[in-house]
Amino acid sequence: MSFYSPVRTNASEVAESDRLHLLKYAEDPNQCSIDTYVQRGGYGAWRKALTSMKPEEVITAIKDSGLRGRGGAGFPTGMKWGFVPKDSPKPRYLICNADESEPGTCKDRVIMERDPHAMIEGMAIAAYAIGSHLMFVYIRGEFAHCADQVEKAMNEAYAQGQLGKNIHGSGYDLDMIVHTGGGAYICGEETALLNSLEGLRGMSRIRPPFPAVAGLYGCPTIVNNVESLASVPHIINRGADWYRSLGTEKSAGSKLFSLSGHIKQPGNYEVELGFSLKTLIYDPKYGGGILDDKKLKGVIPGGASTPLLTPDMIEVGLDYESLPEKGSMLGSGAVIVFHEETCIVWVIQRLIHFFRHESCGKCTPCHEGTAWLEKLINRVESGKGEEGDIEKIDDICSNILGRTVCPLGDAAVMPIQSAIELYRDEWEHHIRHGKCLVKSQFGLK
Amino acid sequence: MLAEESIALIKEKAAKYPERKSAILPALTVAYRQVGHLNDELYSEISEIIRVPAVEIAEAATFYTMFPKHPVGKYLIQVCHNISCALLGADSLIGYLEEKLEIKKGETTSDNLFTLVTVECLGSCCTAPMMQINQDYYENLTRERVDEILEELRTRA
Ligand SMILES: Cc1cc2nc3c(=O)[nH]c(=O)nc-3n(C[C@H](O)[C@H](O)[C@H](O)COP(=O)(O)O)c2cc1C
Ligand code: SF4
Ligand code: FES
């Protein structure tokens, strides 16, 4: 049996560690079968929560663990669960966000393809904690194989009585639906996801109300990322204190990082939060250094919507506090590395093309602004830029920042602003000389 | 026209949702997998099955880029040109495919076998460059690998 995706992981390191846990069985295809999963203790946390803990106790445990959302925003998971109104007569819904479309990110996929029951178990515990009897996983449409894998796992879970009616004799009923998307980045944003799941165009909603109060079908709804949920069973099994002892004081736990770009050994690596970015890139256990031993030029540390870092900034801990100190963010944990022969204007051109393409069109600053930005950046990239273009680009960015319905607008401009700030000479060269500095330097076409 | 199995599958999926409209996307997915693209006729058919007005189905469908809205080749080659893939030569790979298939991106070969398009990140960035052909992912691509894949698909067709 072989894996669907050949992606590299550090599963063997994780297996030997009693701190790392998410990727422990990621190199063993048998882990997808419920029998193996259960033999290894799987669904034990679900049984424990359901038969020996009150929902509030589960929420408290997750709060105490310090777990924060792994989908990008880093919001404390237990606190979010606590926002569901206790007295609402309406049904509640738990949704697992498996849209995974932040460029550079392929970490949720490895969980779904190689350890799907971990996600389902985490979903079930979360559903119980908020009093939900129907839970969904929203998987991006292109992940057809993942969706099949998860559906197979779900069917096994039903067959074994982990899902369905009166689970483990507790009287608790829980159903699950696997829902697939239609190829739209914005549907990863939780309110756009809700619209999409309701059969509408996947456009973001204005908040408030927040989904925890009025989400799917107007009912209290919690949306959590795959990795956040897959962490939950470990916390229930081993305790909040154990989880809290991992990582840093404010960024507890471990996290998956998708390392891609000009790197010798791209892959998904689990490390504790606070782990050194530099070590992740250069250590032979992980990235193993820059492709062809070239010089590092820059890193996008948290997915396409996070500000760039220059080589002098990479001695930084990968966590929710340290990266902002360097002007960036942890984001989804997608570390994209590029070497000295990469033109920064070209990198940004790729990114703005993406954000313009994915803008849902609901608000003008994002919809129009990203289109103007793309035009201007294309012009600069092709050597046809004019004096003042950099200022114009910067100005449009400032006019988008903080003025949009959802964070996609901010996501689009933050990397651009940082790229201008950190690599201004390259932008200027493109404009003044009508050609690329990097290409001239390295004699590239 | 939707096949019997497709209709049954849509019904089965639709029955699970608390509200009928939620079945739109699953129904479109089933229709797309059977037919290879979507059109007004399919929206009407789906409308009958899940009892949601066809206009609402069309409205949703046109938002989602994953479903072509006109006929495409038997194999829809979708090459990721986003950043992680681009850093590892996606553009040159696209050029190579254009050369081999003798079409430009967005076009279909004259034998209707292949359509070539570029797409945004497909969540396969650590095994870049990559492409998706119909439902399948092909990762860690090289020119040699592309040759093999096209050969394989031609034989299968
Ligand atoms: C444009 C945009 C795209 C997003 N895409 C994803 C995604 O693909 N997966 C994800 O889990 N969260 C994504 N998010 C974050 C979600 O809105 C939400 O915060 C998250 O799913 C909450 O789960 P967590 O608290 O467990 O991280 C996205 C946000 C934005 C603004
Ligand atoms: S910021 Fe962009 S993606 Fe978000 S709601 Fe506005 S137009 Fe849509
Ligand atoms: S950038 Fe190509 S799959 Fe993510």
Side-chain angles (χ1 to χ4, degrees):
Chain A
M1 218 163 123
S2 68
F3 288 119
Y4 186 75
S5 171
V7 73
R8 192 172 189 271
T9 71
N10 64 332
S12 53
E13 182 195 7
V14 176
E16 284 166 18
S17 159
D18 65 346
R19 301 168 70 80
L20 304 175
H21 45 280
L22 290 166
L23 292 181
K24 185 164 181 188
Y25 300 109
E27 299 295 342
D28 179 1
N30 295 321
Q31 179 71 1
C32 290
S33 107
I34 198 165
D35 293 334
T36 309
Y37 184 74
V38 167
Q39 252 168 39
R40 291 171 172 164
Y43 289 111
W46 175 218
R47 184 185 287 272
K48 175 175 169 188
L50 195 58
T51 57
S52 72
M53 292 170 85
K54 294 203 185 77
E56 304 82 76
E57 289 173 327
V58 177
I59 295 181
T60 304
I62 301 304
K63 271 186 190 157
D64 292 347
S65 76
L67 176 65
R68 295 169 63 173
R70 305 296 194 226
F75 194 83
T77 306
M79 192 194 291
K80 180 157 41 175
W81 295 0
F83 290 155
V84 171
K86 301 271 169 302
D87 48 358
S88 170
K90 293 181 177 171
R92 296 107 194 262
Y93 299 109
L94 183 277
I95 300 173
C96 176
N97 187 346
D99 195 55
E100 184 138 273
S101 34
E102 172 79 5
T105 321
C106 50
K107 65 179 182 76
D108 295 337
R109 182 178 172 207
V110 81
I111 296 175
M112 290 189 281
E113 285 184 0
R114 302 190 182 187
D115 202 359
H117 287 288
M119 177 187 83
I120 296 176
E121 184 175 8
M123 287 171 68
I125 296 167
Y128 171 71
I130 63 162
S132 164
H133 298 282
L134 177 58
M135 59 185 193
F136 298 82
V137 53
Y138 184 105
I139 305 180
R140 64 176 301 174
E142 296 90 341
F143 280 177
H145 176 82
C146 262
D148 289 348
Q149 187 80 285
V150 170
E151 199 150 330
K152 196 170 142 252
M154 175 185 81
N155 292 337
E156 285 181 333
Y158 268 108
Q160 213 189 66
Q162 306 287 356
L163 296 174
K165 299 261 173 286
N166 187 20
I167 302 165
H168 300 313
S170 64
Y172 201 83
D173 301 343
L174 181 59
D175 283 304
M176 172 170 169
I177 294 179
V178 178
H179 189 91
T180 54
Y185 168 63
I186 189 60
C187 290
E189 190 284 313
E190 58 183 14
T191 62
L193 184 154
L194 295 174
N195 277 345
S196 178
L197 191 44
E198 288 184 11
L200 305 169
R201 294 167 79 86
M203 292 162 103
S204 301
R205 296 178 181 175
I206 294 173
R207 274 157 291 206
F210 287 89
V213 176
L216 189 67
Y217 313 127
C219 300
T221 303
I222 291 297
V223 182
N224 273 130
N225 171 260
V226 174
E227 186 187 350
S228 314
L229 291 166
S231 304
V232 166
H234 299 281
I235 298 171
I236 297 300
N237 276 330
R238 302 175 69 172
D241 290 343
W242 167 77
Y243 197 77
R244 219 182 175 122
S245 75
L246 315 180
T248 70
E249 199 193 323
K250 288 189 177 143
S251 297
S254 66
K255 158 127 196 59
L256 303 184
F257 290 89
S258 300
L259 186 56
S260 74
H262 291 150
I263 190 88
K264 284 189 182 158
Q265 298 170 155
N268 280 305
Y269 302 111
E270 179 184 355
V271 294
E272 288 182 52
L273 285 169
F275 194 80
S276 152
L277 171 57
K278 189 172 183 180
T279 309
L280 185 74
I281 293 173
Y282 287 100
D283 193 304
K285 275 199 287 193
Y286 314 104
I290 309 303
L291 207 57
D292 303 327
D293 291 317
K294 295 211 165 94
K295 275 221 291 269
L296 176 68
K297 172 163 183 169
V299 181
I300 307 179
S305 48
T306 58
L308 282 56
L309 299 176
T310 48
D312 57 313
M313 297 157 97
I314 65 166
E315 287 193 43
V316 60
L318 291 161
D319 59 65
Y320 298 104
E321 284 71 39
S322 306
L323 283 160
E325 281 168 19
K326 302 271 180 190
S328 193
M329 294 188 308
L330 185 72
S332 59
V335 179
I336 307 164
V337 172
F338 46 94
H339 64 43
E340 52 189 337
E341 292 176 16
T342 316
C343 166
I344 205 72
V345 184
W346 174 85
V347 168
I348 294 300
Q349 184 188 34
R350 281 299 139 130
L351 300 186
I352 190 59
H353 173 77
F354 167 74
F355 287 112
R356 197 271 303 148
H357 184 261
E358 301 298 332
S359 167
C360 82
K362 188 181 179 97
C363 52
T364 311
C366 168
H367 180 64
E368 301 275 316
T370 53
W372 290 340
L373 283 171
E374 187 183 19
K375 242 189 216 154
L376 276 168
I377 291 165
N378 281 346
R379 181 157 105 184
V380 175
E381 200 278 336
S382 70
K384 302 204 178 65
E386 294 166 9
E387 275 312 316
D389 276 0
I390 301 176
E391 292 71 22
K392 262 188 216 150
I393 292 169
D394 220 15
D395 192 48
I396 298 172
C397 288
S398 311
N399 277 301
I400 296 176
L401 205 67
R403 292 193 166 83
T404 55
V405 168
C406 90
L408 187 142
D410 291 357
V413 306
M414 287 188 302
I416 303 178
Q417 289 189 309
S418 77
I420 292 179
E421 193 188 315
L422 299 170
Y423 304 90
R424 195 173 177 104
D425 56 327
E426 277 188 48
W427 294 80
E428 284 171 351
H429 193 96
H430 265 260
I431 292 175
R432 300 212 174 120
H433 302 271
K435 56 182 187 219
C436 175
L437 177 65
V438 177
K439 282 186 188 159
S440 319
Q441 276 173 345
F442 291 94
L444 306 170
K445 272 210 291 112
Chain B
M1 278 276 283
L2 287 174
E4 285 299 316
E5 309 88 78
S6 299
I7 296 173
L9 194 55
I10 291 173
K11 283 188 178 153
E12 183 195 317
K13 287 182 184 278
K16 296 187 178 152
Y17 290 91
E19 296 196 8
R20 285 204 301 277
K21 275 188 77 164
S22 287
I24 293 179
L25 212 37
L28 291 171
T29 307
V30 172
Y32 160 63
R33 289 208 190 160
Q34 185 210 309
V35 181
H37 65 275
L38 298 177
N39 56 32
D40 289 345
E41 191 194 322
L42 289 164
Y43 304 150
S44 306
E45 278 192 74
I46 292 171
S47 164
E48 299 271 311
I49 305 167
I50 64 173
R51 290 175 292 123
V52 169
V55 51
E56 291 181 16
I57 294 168
E59 197 176 280
T62 50
F63 183 82
Y64 297 100
T65 51
M66 200 182 86
F67 312 116
K69 309 304 183 307
H70 46 78
V72 293
K74 183 176 165 91
Y75 299 111
L76 178 60
I77 305 182
Q78 305 153 82
V79 191
C80 170
H81 68 174
N82 210 312
I83 188 66
S84 303
C85 288
L87 286 168
L88 294 178
D91 291 352
S92 117
L93 204 68
I94 294 159
Y96 184 65
L97 277 157
E98 287 182 328
E99 218 172 274
K100 277 211 71 148
L101 299 170
E102 297 178 342
I103 51 173
K104 291 269 160 229
K105 63 183 184 192
E107 294 177 352
T108 300
T109 52
S110 54
D111 57 4
N112 269 325
L113 213 49
F114 300 105
T115 299
L116 178 65
V117 295
T118 53
V119 292
E120 297 305 337
C121 176
L122 290 175
S124 193
C125 325
C126 299
T127 46
M130 64 83 61
M131 63 185 175
Q132 180 173 23
I133 303 181
N134 297 351
Q135 266 66 253
D136 297 325
Y137 274 33
Y138 295 88
E139 306 171 42
N140 289 328
L141 293 176
T142 57
R143 292 187 171 208
E144 295 68 44
R145 190 65 196 114
V146 167
D147 290 343
E148 280 169 25
I149 295 162
L150 293 182
E151 211 33 60
E152 214 178 283
L153 294 176
R154 282 210 172 92
T155 332
R156 215 196 288 167

